Amino acid sequence: MKRIFHLSSCDTCKRILKELQPLDGFELQDIKTEAITPEQLEAMVALSGSYESLFSKRARLYQERKLKEQTLTETDYKALILEHYTFLKRPVILMEDAIFIGNSKSTVAKAQEKIHS
């Protein structure tokens, strides 16, 4: 599977997708218009090792709900990601046996190297 979970209204996601071109064989999934399925989330966790690694603590709802003040479990992270797209750290790039999560320069560079190797 070659898929990129992104948010089409996010300028950072747009920039990263442009940097990663060409994306031959990749499916782009806008997580706002096409929600993540539990099966897709399970595939991500199988590669990443935890729901927390996929969770965005920079999301506005994270602040609004004062989630930082709570002790969240893996079950909580899973439920929150499935509840609202904003809780998924973006972009998430899936390639067969590899996953790249987030927008750090090193993550994007590693993804680009893997995509174009």
Side-chain angles (χ1 to χ4, degrees):
M1 174 196 324
K2 290 183 175 183
R3 184 178 294 260
I4 299 176
F5 298 89
H6 68 103
L7 190 57
S8 63
S9 58
C10 171
D11 289 336
T12 302
C13 285
K14 289 178 194 175
R15 176 185 53 78
I16 291 169
L17 288 174
K18 189 174 181 180
E19 284 178 28
L20 295 176
Q21 295 297 326
L23 290 169
D24 300 328
F26 275 87
E27 292 182 44
L28 299 179
Q29 182 171 335
D30 182 348
I31 59 175
K32 186 173 184 176
T33 59
E34 186 181 345
I36 301 163
T37 67
E39 295 78 19
Q40 289 172 326
L41 185 57
E42 292 305 318
M44 290 182 218
V45 169
L47 292 171
S48 70
S50 71
Y51 293 102
E52 185 176 9
S53 66
L54 295 162
F55 188 84
S56 173
K57 294 181 179 174
R58 294 171 51 188
R60 193 176 320 143
L61 284 178
Y62 183 75
Q63 312 299 330
E64 289 174 8
R65 294 184 185 182
K66 297 182 171 56
L67 296 175
K68 185 177 184 179
E69 299 165 13
Q70 299 176 29
T71 303
L72 299 175
T73 65
E74 282 291 291
T75 305
D76 295 327
Y77 290 122
K78 177 183 179 181
L80 288 165
I81 292 169
L82 289 172
E83 173 193 323
H84 201 279
Y85 67 87
T86 194
F87 288 120
L88 182 70
K89 196 180 285 187
R90 334 175 263 284
V92 174
I93 303 165
L94 282 178
M95 290 182 61
E96 292 90 30
D97 61 347
I99 188 168
F100 303 93
I101 305 164
N103 57 28
S104 73
K105 284 187 181 196
S106 63
T107 299
V108 173
K110 288 175 189 170
Q112 190 163 31
E113 183 179 314
K114 175 86 172 171
I115 290 168
H116 300 293
S117 64

